[in-house]
Amino acid sequence: MYKILKADKLAANIYRMVVEAPWVAKHCQPGQFIIAKMNEEGERIPLTICDYDREAGTITIVFQPVGASTMEMAKLQTGDAFEDFVGPLGQPSEFVHEDVEELKKKKILFVAGGVGTAPVYPQVKWLHERGIQADAIIGAKTKDLVILEDEFNAVCNLYVTTDDGSYQRKGMVTQAIQDLVAEGKKYDQCVAIGPMIMMKFVCKLTKELGIPTIVSMNPIMVDGTGMCGACRLNVGGEVKFACVDGPEFDGHLVDFDLAMERQKMYKTEEGRAILREQEGDTHHGGCGHCGGDK
Ligand code: NAD
Ligand code: FES
């Protein structure tokens, strides 16, 4: 069992839990995710890691209830436990493999939207711990939905923008990027994590601005194990699976329209049948767990 050491609410409908999971905490890197299961029969819920403490042996997750399982999960309290908490899964963010001295020469801009702010945090923190101060934009619909502001302020140069202008800058994250560039900021790299529609439009803009951009395709994952085929993507003309090959990809190569269309279809029985017909077996293969390769 994996005990919840602390459960609190960051904003209306956004929950945070600190979970005792020493093995995951020891081995995880920014960009990776875990799969939580509340009980034997429970659904597998893939969630990107929001923070980790190797010494305390804890992992922090942040989530927004969107279906029956996450709504049940939101009821868990401090002292309750997960039956299963598997990870770390997926590939770490690319920069963790880069030479730190080379990274120090780069100006990186992180763009975090809504609940997608949570998975950005371990990335800016990792860089800060190595003496690299990135810029970050947090975008939220309103003031009440801005999360982790203090945590970000401690590890990067933060710009907050709200769609309605109720706090700090006014407008969506794309407006904030344009403003920062107009103010003379130059970026070598952008990392954008948030709703698919946000990542699509950030990528459209950064392509025009000539800033290479990484995105996290976590939102299209379902089982997170390479078995269900839900997270199949077209990246630069190649088939990729977010949960196995990602979740992070070159955003300028991701076909967002196809990904959003597939995500919609995958929600219904009929849609899944059409996808099977069009794509054949959507199983990723090679996972070694489900026997689908045999
Ligand atoms: P939201 O709809 O409140 O949007 C957050 C911000 O994204 C907005 O304030 C705005 O600045 C920006 N944005 C939204 N639409 C945009 C557009 N068309 N153009 C430019 N910018 C735009 O976000 P939310 O309701 O908190 O987010 C929920 C979504 O986040 C879910 O769909 C979830 O799947 C996704 N999410 C993604 C990740 C990931 O790893 N990519 C992680 C957690 C959650
Ligand atoms: Fe099911 Fe990736 S989430 S295959």
Side-chain angles (χ1 to χ4, degrees), residues 48 64 113-116 119 139-141 163 172-174 193-195 197-199 201 216 218-219:
T48 314
Q64 187 177 43
V115 195
K141 284 194 191 86
D163 297 5
M172 292 190 175
V173 292
T174 35
I193 305 185
I197 192 75
M198 178 203 99
M199 296 191 287
F201 282 103
S216 171
N218 177 299

Side-chain angles (χ1 to χ4, degrees), residues 203-249:
C203 287
K204 188 171 177 287
L205 174 63
T206 56
K207 207 168 181 177
E208 286 161 20
L209 296 170
I211 309 170
T213 300
I214 299 288
V215 294
S216 171
M217 299 305 283
N218 177 299
I220 57 167
M221 288 191 214
V222 172
D223 72 349
T225 61
M227 292 187 230
C228 70
C231 68
R232 184 180 162 126
L233 287 169
N234 182 322
V235 183
E238 284 181 49
V239 172
K240 299 278 180 194
F241 289 78
C243 66
V244 180
D245 305 310
E248 296 186 357
F249 296 97

Side-chain angles (χ1 to χ4, degrees), residues 12-266:
N13 220 25
I14 305 180
Y15 296 79
R16 171 169 62 184
M17 287 174 184
V18 180
V19 181
E20 195 173 40
W23 200 90
V24 187
K26 190 170 170 197
H27 296 95
C28 70
Q29 296 283 8
Q32 292 188 294
F33 67 96
I34 56 92
I35 295 178
K37 233 175 110 174
M38 275 178 289
N39 47 51
E40 194 66 37
E41 306 78 44
E43 210 182 327
R44 307 158 76 95
I45 305 169
L47 292 166
T48 314
I49 292 167
C50 166
D51 198 6
Y52 52 89
D53 183 329
R54 299 207 200 281
E55 276 177 29
T58 59
I59 293 288
T60 304
I61 50 171
V62 169
F63 65 97
Q64 187 177 43
V66 283
S69 296
T70 39
M71 277 175 200
E72 275 307 301
M73 197 166 129
K75 292 181 192 160
L76 295 176
Q77 301 289 325
T78 303
D80 290 339
F82 288 100
E83 161 100 20
D84 228 342
F85 199 83
V86 181
L89 298 166
Q91 308 302 321
S93 304
E94 229 172 66
F95 62 73
V96 305
H97 302 301
E98 281 185 50
D99 181 75
V100 171
E101 292 312 312
E102 288 303 311
L103 270 178
K104 281 183 181 163
K105 295 178 195 156
K106 284 190 185 174
K107 194 70 198 166
I108 309 177
L109 173 66
F110 288 86
V111 181
V115 195
T117 301
V120 172
Y121 178 64
Q123 305 204 12
V124 285
K125 185 178 162 190
W126 189 96
L127 290 169
H128 178 76
E129 285 168 352
R130 286 155 185 81
I132 302 157
Q133 191 79 351
D135 283 2
I137 297 169
I138 292 181
K141 284 194 191 86
T142 62
K143 182 177 188 222
D144 299 345
L145 294 173
V146 176
I147 58 168
L148 304 173
E149 188 183 358
D150 292 344
E151 287 84 347
F152 271 74
N153 265 322
V155 294
C156 65
N157 309 315
L158 179 64
Y159 304 89
V160 178
T161 186
T162 47
D163 297 5
D164 65 354
S166 52
Y167 188 54
Q168 303 223 357
R169 293 172 179 245
K170 183 177 191 310
M172 292 190 175
V173 292
T174 35
Q175 184 62 54
I177 300 171
Q178 278 171 316
D179 292 347
L180 290 179
V181 170
E183 288 163 22
K185 294 266 190 184
K186 288 193 168 48
Y187 296 106
D188 302 299
Q189 177 79 54
C190 172
V191 178
I193 305 185
M196 292 262 261
I197 192 75
M198 178 203 99
M199 296 191 287
K200 174 185 162 167
F201 282 103
V202 167
C203 287
K204 188 171 177 287
L205 174 63
T206 56
K207 207 168 181 177
E208 286 161 20
L209 296 170
I211 309 170
T213 300
I214 299 288
V215 294
S216 171
M217 299 305 283
N218 177 299
I220 57 167
M221 288 191 214
V222 172
D223 72 349
T225 61
M227 292 187 230
C228 70
C231 68
R232 184 180 162 126
L233 287 169
N234 182 322
V235 183
E238 284 181 49
V239 172
K240 299 278 180 194
F241 289 78
C243 66
V244 180
D245 305 310
E248 296 186 357
F249 296 97
D250 179 340
H252 293 170
L253 297 181
V254 172
D255 186 334
F256 284 102
D257 291 335
L258 186 65
M260 287 189 277
E261 182 58 30
R262 260 192 120 265
Q263 188 184 32
K264 225 187 309 161
M265 288 176 78
Y266 205 86

